[in-house]
Amino acid sequence: MPIPSRPVLVEHLVRTRIAGDVATPRDNNLSHYRKLANGDRHYWLGLELGDRWTDEQDVLAVMAERCGVNDDPEHRVGQDTIDPELTVDGLDRMAARLRKAAAGKERVLFATGHPGALLDVHSRTAAALRAAGCDIVRIPGGLTADEGYVVQFADVAVFERGATLWHTHSPEPMNAILDHLDVRPDLVVADHGWAGRAGQRGIDSVGYADCNDPALFIAEAEGTLQVAVPLDDHVLDPRFYEPMTAYLLDAAGLL
C-alpha cells in the first residue's frame, strides 16, 4: 500500500468516518463521561481514577482537548466529532514509541477488545516489530477470564467465548495474561481495558480509543498511558484502517 501523506491521511480519515463526523452520537458520549465521573468502573477501562474525575464537565474538557469532541456542554444530542489532526498527532506519538521499541528490540504484547475492527491494525504492527527484531509476546495457553478464554490470534491477544471473538472493555483478560507471564512486556499496544490495565500496572502502554472511551485519554493526561490515539474504533470496513496503519509504520521506521 502507498504511504499516505498527512493531508491525504486526514482526508481519508474524514471520508471513512474514522475521524471527523463519526458515528458515535453525542448523547452516548456524554452518557459515558457521566458514568465515568459517577464511578462506574466499567467505564474506567482497568484504570484507578480515584476521586480525581468526579465532574463530568472536567471529563468533557479533556475529551475536547485530546479527542476533538464538541466542547459545548449544552450540545446534548446529535452529531459529535473526532479531530482528524489529533488522530494523526496521536499516530505520530505512537510511532515514536514503536521506534523506541524497535531500537531496543523490546518485548511487546498486542491485545484488542475490538477484534472485528482493529485486529489487523495490531497484527500488522506486531509483524513489523518482529521483523525489526522485537520479541512479540506469546501468551500462555489455557487462560480464562470473564467466563471465557484469553487466546492469541495473529499475534494479538483477544477474548473468546462460545467459539466467537468478543468485543470487550474488561481489564480482566489483561490481568490473566500479566498474572501468568514469567517476564513482563516492555510495551503493550492495545485498546479498551487491555491498554488501561497494562498502564495501571506500570507497563508502558499505547492504544486506540473512541470518543466514548474517555478513560484512556484521561490516563494519557495523567501519564498512566503513553499514547491514546483518538478514532472511531469500529467503522464499516476494517480495511479502512489500512492507510492509517501504513502511515503509522512508516512514521515508526518499520516499513
Side-chain angles (χ1 to χ4, degrees):
M1 169 165 294
I3 310 304
S5 65
R6 183 183 181 111
V8 168
L9 179 59
V10 165
E11 186 279 331
H12 171 79
L13 295 173
V14 172
R15 179 168 48 81
T16 58
R17 301 185 74 184
I18 294 173
D21 291 340
V22 293
T24 310
R26 177 67 169 190
D27 56 318
N28 181 265
N29 283 345
L30 294 181
S31 172
H32 286 205
Y33 305 168
R34 184 178 311 113
K35 289 173 180 176
L36 179 148
N38 288 340
D40 187 333
R41 286 180 172 267
H42 175 77
Y43 298 92
W44 287 15
L45 300 182
L47 295 153
E48 294 299 330
L49 302 179
D51 58 359
R52 300 186 298 279
W53 298 92
T54 57
D55 186 338
E56 65 182 274
Q57 299 308 319
D58 291 339
V59 179
L60 174 60
V62 169
M63 294 304 293
E65 176 189 9
R66 293 181 175 266
C67 187
V69 302
N70 191 312
D71 65 356
D72 181 3
E74 299 306 315
H75 177 49
R76 314 295 302 179
V77 296
Q79 183 67 54
D80 214 338
T81 56
I82 293 175
D83 184 340
E85 298 288 349
L86 293 179
T87 303
V88 182
D89 288 346
L91 292 170
D92 287 339
R93 294 195 304 277
M94 183 181 285
R97 185 61 186 87
L98 296 179
R99 184 183 291 271
K100 177 183 175 182
K105 301 192 183 321
E106 292 182 347
R107 180 173 165 82
V108 187
L109 170 64
F110 287 83
T112 185
H114 254 297
L118 298 179
L119 181 64
D120 191 53
V121 175
H122 288 301
S123 180
R124 288 175 184 237
T125 307
L129 282 178
R130 176 182 283 112
C134 288
D135 177 14
I136 304 305
V137 173
R138 183 176 176 88
I139 70 170
L143 298 181
T144 60
D146 296 333
E147 300 180 349
Y149 295 94
V150 186
V151 299
Q152 198 162 28
F153 182 72
D155 287 327
V156 186
V158 292
F159 179 67
E160 178 189 17
R161 186 189 292 172
T164 301
L165 302 185
W166 277 52
H167 170 218
T168 178
H169 287 221
S170 173
E172 294 308 320
M174 180 57 76
N175 275 336
I177 294 172
L178 297 179
D179 287 346
H180 291 87
L181 286 178
D182 293 330
V183 181
R184 281 165 45 119
D186 301 303
L187 175 66
V188 168
V189 184
D191 47 68
H192 284 177
W194 306 79
R197 181 49 56 88
Q200 186 63 48
R201 291 182 61 160
I203 299 168
D204 278 9
S205 182
V206 300
Y208 303 96
D210 209 329
C211 55
N212 62 356
D213 292 329
L216 295 190
F217 296 101
I218 287 173
E220 184 182 23
E222 292 191 327
T224 310
L225 200 76
Q226 275 62 54
V227 181
V229 179
L231 49 68
D232 187 316
D233 56 15
H234 200 129
V235 294
L236 180 65
D237 187 339
R239 289 174 293 188
F240 288 164
Y241 297 106
E242 290 178 355
M244 182 193 81
T245 308
Y247 177 93
L248 171 68
L249 298 182
D250 180 66
L254 295 173
L255 290 183

